Amino acid sequence: MTRHRTAALVGNPNSGKSALFNALTGARQKIANYPGVTVERKAGRLILPSGEPVELIDLPGAYSLDAASPDEVVTEKAVQGRLEGEVRPEVLILVLDAANLEQHLVFAQEVLELGRPTVVALNMIDLAERDGLTLDSNALEEALGVPVISTVAVRRRGLDELTAAIAAAETHADDAPNPNWHLTLPERRLAAKTMARAAILSRSARHTVANGLDRLLLNPWIGPLILFAFLFVMFQAVFAWATPFADAIDAGFTALSAFVSSEMPQSILRDFLTQGIIAGVGSVVVFLPQILILFFFILIMEASGYMARAAFLMDRLMAGVGLSGKSFIPLLSSFACAVPGIMATRSISDPKDRLTTILIAPLMTCSARLPVYAVIIGAFIPATTVGPGIGLQGLVLFGLYVSGIVGAMVAALLLRGTLTKGAASGFIMEMPRYQLPRLRDVAIGLWQRAFVFLRRAGTIILSATVALWILLSFPQAQPGQSQLDASFAGKIADGIAPVLKPIGFNREIGLALIPAMAAREVAVSALATTYAVDARTEAENDRGLIARLQASWSLPTALAFLAWFVFAPQCLSTIAVTRRETNGWKWPAFMVGYLFGLAYLFAGITYWSAIALGF
Ligand SMILES: Nc1nc2c(ncn2[C@@H]2O[C@H](COP(=O)(O)OP(=O)(O)OP(=O)(O)O)[C@@H](O)[C@H]2O)c(=O)[nH]1
Ligand SMILES: [Mg+2]
């Protein structure tokens, strides 16, 4: 008889559950140094010393089994076997942060009260040692009544002992200890204090560096300045560092296009390859270096422990618009992509706080906007400096990010006064310890981002661009007629042109915005393909997208296009995840409506102001 063996990782947020999960199963779950990283259950396979497989489940961190936020609900249900289609895990692996023992022992008692086979992973022993703590795992074992194994998940220390203990816990399932304490929270706190005291053999104060750093980084005046400076450098770097790499990729695609053109006879297939695939997809892939630079900064923030500090700093500002610092982390994650950002809101317990955060998350500038911004900035904003080390292009990019943030704050303020009425709830989040980001983790993180981006380019961006190319290429133009005028796509563009004309958008933009509903980067590949198909001369064909934009767009149009993308909800995945997280179409419909409204309004304001200013 084969038994379905399962074990689940439980513990406070940021105790290293996902790091252990990855180490034990070889998975690549996201780990980061702030509470609330994992918001869904994830399963993987662990092999016991006997060779038997066990299904290992990684769960969101929790402070209590009496769940407050949606991610804690997942943990509560999973532990009790109430998650749909899921058996109750036979063994619980309770992960404790050795350097935060007292806090983590509060939840630990609640888990142990369940009386289920449990193994404790006393994780982050290395950090406890760094902080000058010497721990006695035997004393803890005695106090808790279950096996305690010291581990360092990120250095794979103690893993064999842990798997052995998991195997043993399963065999001895029947005579598992059942202390049945049933204490109240204050009683548990007291018990945690006593147990932690007994387990800590010696403590030498070595908190000076972290304390000094916190005094600086969390200072109400200097802290925000440092955060602002950090973000500023990030956007400067996106332009300043990327150029050589982007140029190399661009040269690669140009050479490829030239090669295909010279080797293949003139045919519809050749046009498809050069105009549809190389010009279209290539125009987006060029932005890979910029995206990786952005993620490099985000990864450093996440791994070092600065992310939670930034959330703390932003709490006051967020409270001003009726949100809390808790919303800051989902919003900052939305700089990468609104989809994980919206999922990260599951760690917010107040439903109205959470809904408001979901509705404004798409205003954070996701990395899919970066190619759109970068191509327009590259074409219309001169690469000059406006001060020592301050490039104008990076400054404009920074301004676009700030516009999104300001838009989000104003939207939150209005929403909190009307549809999601309510007062700001307080902010409580533990500050994780500072860690030097591990090079390997950063490298893996960047590789994963590169993979995600290239996969998008090869799937959603490629197919949207190919579909557009087909609409652009048929029917074929009569001599003297432009291909765009003759094509199906041209007819569609003519249909929407009147709507977009008042905000300064030309026909090509209107055409690009439709497939860009699938993903924002498609706006770039669509423009590249449209101009490539519509090139009337060889010379025009050889000029890149940037040159074509410069030749056919006015500056007010370009600026209006940027303003549009600050607001427009051009992303089907975001709409889909909003539907899933709010359980219905009402809120995604509202979100799409208000964001398109803002996009139209601000593109128009930008266009007419630019004209009035004589640009
Ligand atoms: N030095 C050290 N760092 C660790 C250890 N285990 C995990 N970490 C780091 O601690 C941070 C938190 O780890 P995660 O695995 O994301 O924690 P989690 O318990 O899954 O957190 P949530 O998903 O938010 O509940 C990450 O930055 C890890 O790199 C350890 O044993 N030693
Ligand atoms: Mg986790």
Side-chain angles (χ1 to χ4, degrees):
M1 193 185 98
T2 49
R3 220 154 51 92
H4 191 71
R5 291 161 175 276
T6 51
L9 289 153
V10 288
N12 283 52
N14 212 39
S15 55
K17 295 176 296 301
S18 302
L20 267 177
F21 178 80
N22 288 351
L24 290 170
T25 64
R28 291 268 169 88
Q29 271 282 92
K30 174 166 177 158
I31 62 169
N33 194 11
Y34 60 86
V37 178
T38 308
V39 293
E40 281 185 302
R41 74 171 276 290
K42 278 276 149 62
R45 174 172 289 207
L46 154 76
I47 306 293
L48 292 181
S50 61
E52 277 173 286
V54 170
E55 188 182 37
L56 187 65
I57 300 168
D58 183 23
L59 291 171
Y63 294 101
S64 143
L65 285 176
D66 187 12
S69 52
D71 59 345
E72 285 186 322
V73 172
V74 173
T75 300
E76 185 196 341
K77 286 191 172 168
V79 167
Q80 281 155 6
R82 289 195 288 115
L83 217 55
E84 224 170 291
E86 191 119 334
V87 296
R88 195 173 77 155
E90 289 155 49
V91 182
L92 298 178
I93 305 162
L94 178 60
V95 186
L96 305 181
D97 174 353
N100 262 322
L101 203 49
E102 195 180 315
Q103 283 98 305
H104 286 213
L105 280 173
V106 178
F107 178 55
Q109 295 171 59
E110 208 179 327
V111 172
L112 289 169
E113 264 179 26
L114 297 170
R116 305 266 299 287
T118 306
V119 175
V120 169
L122 187 58
N123 194 36
M124 307 212 184
I125 285 287
D126 57 330
L127 291 181
E129 282 165 4
R130 189 188 75 180
D131 289 353
L133 296 176
T134 314
L135 293 171
D136 179 0
S137 61
N138 290 331
L140 200 59
E141 203 159 284
E142 210 152 283
L144 297 175
V146 295
V148 174
I149 315 291
S150 300
T151 59
V152 180
V154 289
R155 306 211 189 292
R156 311 186 59 87
R157 259 165 57 189
L159 296 188
D160 293 343
E161 292 86 337
L162 187 62
T163 28
I166 296 169
E170 253 190 311
T171 17
H172 299 302
D174 297 333
D175 46 71
N178 189 349
N180 258 339
W181 284 319
H182 290 303
L183 302 176
T184 63
L185 186 59
E187 284 170 332
R188 271 193 204 123
R189 289 217 176 103
L190 197 68
K193 197 174 200 138
T194 318
M195 283 192 277
R197 283 231 179 102
I200 295 173
L201 289 178
S202 72
R203 178 200 298 268
S204 55
R206 272 190 239 160
H207 293 290
T208 41
V209 179
N211 286 348
L213 256 183
D214 268 350
R215 255 204 301 278
L216 191 68
L217 295 179
L218 297 181
N219 178 294
W221 302 108
I222 305 167
L225 280 181
I226 296 177
L227 177 61
F228 190 79
F230 178 86
L231 295 176
F232 189 82
V233 169
M234 170 165 117
F235 295 119
Q236 287 291 319
V238 163
F239 273 99
W241 301 354
T243 315
F245 304 103
D247 287 350
I249 297 176
D250 195 27
F253 277 108
T254 309
L256 184 65
S257 181
F259 176 77
V260 171
S261 299
S262 66
E263 293 300 307
M264 283 176 72
Q266 161 72 49
S267 67
I268 195 84
L269 179 66
R270 189 183 87 174
D271 287 349
F272 173 69
L273 289 176
T274 55
Q275 303 165 349
I277 296 189
I278 300 177
V281 176
S283 67
V284 173
V285 172
V286 169
F287 296 102
L288 179 64
Q290 290 183 320
I291 285 175
L292 291 186
I293 292 169
L294 182 76
F295 276 105
F296 173 76
F297 282 89
I298 294 181
L299 284 168
I300 297 287
M301 248 181 130
E302 290 187 341
S304 61
Y306 187 49
M307 185 80 136
R309 267 92 190 170
F312 178 81
L313 285 174
M314 298 307 285
D315 187 47
R316 266 235 306 263
L317 184 75
M318 305 287 283
V321 298
L323 291 171
S324 81
K326 270 243 143 178
S327 301
F328 177 77
I329 288 182
L331 292 178
L332 197 80
S333 310
S334 303
F335 276 147
C337 173
V339 173
I342 287 173
M343 292 195 24
T345 63
R346 292 186 188 178
S347 63
I348 302 174
S349 41
D350 184 280
K352 284 181 176 169
D353 273 4
R354 177 164 181 244
L355 179 59
T356 316
T357 311
I358 291 175
L359 292 175
I360 63 171
L363 282 167
M364 299 295 124
T365 304
C366 64
S367 60
R369 282 174 174 100
L370 201 53
V372 181
Y373 287 173
V375 80
I376 302 297
I377 291 176
F380 292 95
I381 308 294
T384 51
T385 54
V386 289
I390 304 172
L392 183 60
Q393 294 185 328
L395 195 65
V396 170
L397 185 67
F398 187 60
L400 288 166
Y401 275 76
V402 170
S403 312
I405 297 169
V406 171
M409 294 301 114
V410 173
L413 192 65
L414 295 176
L415 285 168
R416 288 300 260 164
T418 54
L419 291 175
T420 58
K421 214 179 183 83
S425 55
F427 177 63
I428 15 160
M429 181 186 280
E430 343 167 38
M431 292 294 128
R433 274 178 311 275
Y434 290 107
Q435 291 235 52
L436 267 186
R438 270 174 298 274
L439 201 63
R440 200 185 116 86
D441 286 354
V442 174
I444 290 176
L446 286 180
W447 161 246
Q448 286 175 330
R449 290 317 306 188
F451 181 77
V452 167
F453 177 71
L454 293 176
R455 193 181 54 198
R456 267 171 82 87
T459 53
I460 190 166
I461 296 169
L462 177 68
S463 34
T465 311
V466 165
L468 180 65
W469 179 84
I470 293 171
L471 288 176
L472 278 164
S473 303
F474 302 99
Q476 300 240 308
Q478 304 298 320
Q481 192 187 20
S482 109
Q483 178 56 39
L484 183 56
D485 284 339
S487 68
F488 292 122
K491 304 278 183 304
I492 299 171
D494 288 339
I496 47 178
V499 184
L500 296 175
K501 201 165 186 314
I503 58 170
F505 285 6
N506 56 32
R507 200 163 57 154
E508 288 80 2
I509 297 180
L511 197 53
L513 290 184
I514 299 171
M517 264 322 281
R520 292 182 175 90
E521 302 99 320
V522 174
V524 175
S525 61
L527 285 171
T529 295
T530 307
Y531 283 118
V533 170
D534 203 39
R536 289 171 205 220
T537 61
E538 245 354 89
E540 248 183 353
N541 208 356
D542 287 343
R543 291 159 73 194
L545 174 60
I546 287 195
R548 293 297 302 268
L549 292 176
Q550 286 166 339
S552 47
W553 290 23
S554 70
L555 182 58
T557 292
L559 295 176
F561 187 69
L562 288 176
W564 172 272
F565 271 93
V566 169
F567 299 99
Q570 306 244 164
C571 175
L572 290 180
S573 321
T574 303
I575 299 169
V577 79
T578 304
R579 197 206 74 83
R580 200 181 71 193
E581 297 295 312
T582 61
N583 297 315
W585 281 111
K586 178 177 153 198
W587 292 112
F590 171 76
M591 188 170 96
V592 169
Y594 101 86
L595 288 175
F596 269 132
L598 285 180
Y600 196 84
L601 184 69
F602 278 92
I605 291 176
T606 307
Y607 180 69
W608 290 106
S609 312
I611 288 186
L613 290 169
F615 284 171

